[in-house]
Amino acid sequence: MTALKRILRISLATTIVFFTVSTSLVVAILLDDVSHTEMTGDNEYVFAAAWGAPDLSGDGKFNDPYSVAVDAKNHVYVADSRNNRIQKFDSSGTFLGKWGTYGSDDGEMNSPSGVATDALGAVYVVDSGNNRVQIFSSAGVYLGQWGMSGTGDGQFNSPRGIAVDAAGNVYVADYGNNRVQKFSSSGTFLRKWDEPGYGDGQFSGPYSVAVDTKGNVYVVELGNPRIQKFNSSGTFVEVWGPYGPTEWKYNRPFGIAIDAMDHIYITDTTNNQIKKLTSSGTLLNVWGTTGTGDGQFVTPVDVAIDTSGNIYVADQSNYRIQKLDPDGNFLEKWGSDPTGGGQLGFPEGVAVDNAGNIYVVDTSNNQIQKFNSSGVFLGMWGTKGSEDGQFFGPKGITVDFAGNVYVVDSENNRIQKFDSSGTFIAKWGSYGSGNGEFAFPKGIVSDVTGKVYVVDGNHRIQAFDEYGTFLTKWGMYGSGDGQFRYPRDIAIDAAGASM
């Protein structure tokens, strides 16, 4: 294969794109459509073909649904973050309208991360990338805004969650400033809780906020995974989290909602569950398992409750909204479906075999997909897990000259080897810093002799033979010659030199 002078890689993408470079074939992972020719050194990159992107931008489709809210008429509003818009639906998922485009002008958005409604039907949007809150009518008509980047009262640093109480006051989780701010419905600053730290009443990355019928305020933190409760005067009441009741230990709460009976609903993104609690923190019920089926979740990030007690879940990595009844039974779903053959959800690795077949690491779906050189889907393998042939956050992939496929199974801290049809052959590695051990490895490549080189999170490169036997290693943390700081990928040129 002809050596390339430069390889460009853009992560968090959904499209596989072909370029031709002289007589060589290049496969790139790109976020946006490509409609131009790019010159790099002496090589001319000419667009050839693209495939694999599910419909993430059409009406009723989502690309990173980050927050969900329900108004008094049971209309559902979704902060469709990567599409920089709000979408509106009826309670059955019928698309009703949308507003917002990328930008910083009135009504434009940059990664909206939170949405809430008040009793009059106004819609409040946390425009996170623009460090502001925008107000709209229920039809999407722009009404006003407040906020700017900063640390002063009424300023924000990457705000995330938002809630509105019965009196119309607005609460914003000011994530980057480690505080919660309270405003009037028109944006007048009223008060704040702003002590950073890990103690009672302190915050480390507050992400979501909710208010019950008595005016108690509940705040979900990411930096210290827990929920803190304050009374209407802002006095700390109690905490649930890693050091609280057993049922909360080692979990990662993310989104929060409260029903008319003051039951608390929490999205647990570690276990892909929804948890229901009393207002004093007693666990009442748990729903959900990991998967793509009805009632299953992959990274549920937010939750909302309608007037009938139905539960709406922003099932982020499944690109959809799911609706459950008050007992947690599945009712319906809507949104995108990037889980089928030939569709991709956040691909993070790609390799080409000697026959021109393309292997793609479909990271969010924990699977490998195979295509021919024209983009025709040939097959796929893998599910989420730690058994042979399963993956948890796969990253890199390479194919040796014999057609064997090696996959970096990053969260499982191992390398798995398959034949070209996906049949499991072998595995090696475990978590650690010793020879043959890994700390969330990322990149991988094989050379003409069959040696396999792995980019290890221990700031080093490890070399193995084709059977997984450790051969050598090099590198350590630092900025000097031969040292690395968080290396992510590796390539080998025609002469066998690693880069």
Short mmCIF file of all heavy atoms in Angstrom, two decimals, residues 8 15 86 119 130 135 196 324 327 334 354 359 382 428 445 467 475-476:
data_model
loop_
_atom_site.label_atom_id
_atom_site.label_comp_id
_atom_site.label_asym_id
_atom_site.label_seq_id
_atom_site.Cartn_x
_atom_site.Cartn_y
_atom_site.Cartn_z
N LEU A 8 -5.84 12.75 7.96
CA LEU A 8 -6.65 13.60 8.81
C LEU A 8 -7.73 12.76 9.46
O LEU A 8 -8.39 11.99 8.79
CB LEU A 8 -7.28 14.73 7.99
CG LEU A 8 -6.29 15.63 7.26
CD1 LEU A 8 -7.07 16.70 6.49
CD2 LEU A 8 -5.31 16.26 8.22
N THR A 15 -20.35 9.50 9.36
CA THR A 15 -20.29 9.21 7.94
C THR A 15 -18.94 8.63 7.56
O THR A 15 -17.91 9.09 8.03
CB THR A 15 -20.53 10.48 7.12
OG1 THR A 15 -21.76 11.06 7.52
CG2 THR A 15 -20.59 10.18 5.63
N ILE A 86 -34.71 23.12 18.82
CA ILE A 86 -35.73 22.53 19.67
C ILE A 86 -36.78 21.90 18.75
O ILE A 86 -37.21 22.52 17.78
CB ILE A 86 -36.39 23.59 20.58
CG1 ILE A 86 -35.33 24.30 21.43
CG2 ILE A 86 -37.47 22.96 21.45
CD1 ILE A 86 -34.57 23.41 22.38
N ALA A 119 -45.86 27.57 33.53
CA ALA A 119 -47.30 27.33 33.55
C ALA A 119 -48.03 28.07 32.44
O ALA A 119 -49.15 27.68 32.06
CB ALA A 119 -47.87 27.74 34.91
N ASN A 130 -23.51 29.40 23.86
CA ASN A 130 -23.56 30.86 23.88
C ASN A 130 -23.68 31.42 25.28
O ASN A 130 -23.84 32.64 25.45
CB ASN A 130 -24.73 31.35 23.02
CG ASN A 130 -24.49 31.18 21.54
OD1 ASN A 130 -23.38 31.42 21.05
ND2 ASN A 130 -25.51 30.73 20.81
N ILE A 135 -35.76 32.55 25.73
CA ILE A 135 -37.17 32.30 25.99
C ILE A 135 -37.93 32.33 24.66
O ILE A 135 -37.71 33.23 23.83
CB ILE A 135 -37.79 33.35 26.93
CG1 ILE A 135 -36.89 33.62 28.14
CG2 ILE A 135 -39.16 32.90 27.41
CD1 ILE A 135 -37.37 34.78 29.00
N PRO A 196 -17.97 26.17 45.60
CA PRO A 196 -17.43 24.95 44.99
C PRO A 196 -16.86 24.02 46.06
O PRO A 196 -16.42 24.45 47.12
CB PRO A 196 -16.32 25.49 44.09
CG PRO A 196 -15.87 26.76 44.75
CD PRO A 196 -17.11 27.35 45.37
N LEU A 324 -42.81 5.97 28.61
CA LEU A 324 -43.21 4.89 29.51
C LEU A 324 -44.45 5.31 30.27
O LEU A 324 -44.68 6.50 30.50
CB LEU A 324 -42.08 4.56 30.50
CG LEU A 324 -40.66 4.41 29.94
CD1 LEU A 324 -39.67 4.18 31.09
CD2 LEU A 324 -40.58 3.27 28.94
N ASP A 327 -45.99 3.22 35.51
CA ASP A 327 -45.39 2.04 36.12
C ASP A 327 -44.12 1.60 35.41
O ASP A 327 -43.57 0.54 35.72
CB ASP A 327 -46.40 0.88 36.11
CG ASP A 327 -47.62 1.18 36.97
OD1 ASP A 327 -47.45 1.73 38.08
OD2 ASP A 327 -48.74 0.87 36.53
N TRP A 334 -39.81 7.42 19.45
CA TRP A 334 -39.63 8.10 18.18
C TRP A 334 -38.24 8.71 18.12
O TRP A 334 -37.61 8.94 19.14
CB TRP A 334 -40.70 9.17 17.93
CG TRP A 334 -40.75 10.33 18.89
CD1 TRP A 334 -40.11 11.52 18.77
CD2 TRP A 334 -41.52 10.42 20.10
NE1 TRP A 334 -40.42 12.35 19.81
CE2 TRP A 334 -41.29 11.71 20.65
CE3 TRP A 334 -42.37 9.55 20.78
CZ2 TRP A 334 -41.87 12.13 21.84
CZ3 TRP A 334 -42.96 9.97 21.96
CH2 TRP A 334 -42.70 11.25 22.48
N ASN A 354 -6.80 -6.28 2.43
CA ASN A 354 -6.14 -6.34 1.13
C ASN A 354 -7.13 -6.46 -0.02
O ASN A 354 -6.78 -6.17 -1.18
CB ASN A 354 -5.17 -7.52 1.10
CG ASN A 354 -3.95 -7.29 1.97
OD1 ASN A 354 -3.55 -6.14 2.18
ND2 ASN A 354 -3.38 -8.36 2.51
N TYR A 359 -13.69 -2.05 7.37
CA TYR A 359 -14.17 -2.43 8.69
C TYR A 359 -14.29 -1.16 9.54
O TYR A 359 -13.32 -0.41 9.65
CB TYR A 359 -13.21 -3.41 9.36
CG TYR A 359 -13.04 -4.71 8.60
CD1 TYR A 359 -12.18 -4.78 7.50
CD2 TYR A 359 -13.73 -5.85 8.97
CE1 TYR A 359 -12.02 -5.96 6.79
CE2 TYR A 359 -13.57 -7.05 8.27
CZ TYR A 359 -12.72 -7.08 7.17
OH TYR A 359 -12.57 -8.26 6.48
N GLY A 382 -20.83 -8.11 17.24
CA GLY A 382 -20.56 -7.46 18.51
C GLY A 382 -21.80 -6.93 19.19
O GLY A 382 -22.75 -6.47 18.53
N TRP A 428 -6.31 -10.66 24.43
CA TRP A 428 -5.29 -10.49 25.45
C TRP A 428 -5.40 -9.11 26.06
O TRP A 428 -5.94 -8.20 25.46
CB TRP A 428 -3.89 -10.73 24.89
CG TRP A 428 -3.36 -9.72 23.92
CD1 TRP A 428 -2.69 -8.56 24.20
CD2 TRP A 428 -3.43 -9.79 22.48
NE1 TRP A 428 -2.35 -7.91 23.04
CE2 TRP A 428 -2.77 -8.64 21.98
CE3 TRP A 428 -3.96 -10.71 21.59
CZ2 TRP A 428 -2.66 -8.38 20.62
CZ3 TRP A 428 -3.84 -10.46 20.23
CH2 TRP A 428 -3.20 -9.31 19.75
N VAL A 445 -2.29 -0.83 15.14
CA VAL A 445 -1.87 -1.03 13.76
C VAL A 445 -1.05 -2.32 13.71
O VAL A 445 -0.45 -2.74 14.71
CB VAL A 445 -1.04 0.18 13.26
CG1 VAL A 445 0.32 0.23 13.92
CG2 VAL A 445 -0.93 0.17 11.75
N TYR A 467 -0.13 -13.54 18.12
CA TYR A 467 -0.84 -14.36 19.10
C TYR A 467 -1.09 -13.61 20.41
O TYR A 467 -1.67 -14.16 21.33
CB TYR A 467 -0.04 -15.63 19.39
CG TYR A 467 0.28 -16.41 18.14
CD1 TYR A 467 1.57 -16.41 17.61
CD2 TYR A 467 -0.72 -17.13 17.48
CE1 TYR A 467 1.86 -17.12 16.45
CE2 TYR A 467 -0.43 -17.84 16.32
CZ TYR A 467 0.85 -17.83 15.81
OH TYR A 467 1.14 -18.53 14.66
N GLY A 475 8.09 4.49 25.53
CA GLY A 475 7.33 5.69 25.87
C GLY A 475 7.05 5.80 27.36
O GLY A 475 7.01 4.81 28.09
N MET A 476 6.82 7.02 27.79
CA MET A 476 6.43 7.33 29.15
C MET A 476 5.82 8.73 29.13
O MET A 476 5.89 9.44 28.12
CB MET A 476 7.62 7.29 30.11
CG MET A 476 8.73 8.27 29.76
SD MET A 476 10.16 8.16 30.86
CE MET A 476 9.42 8.73 32.39
#
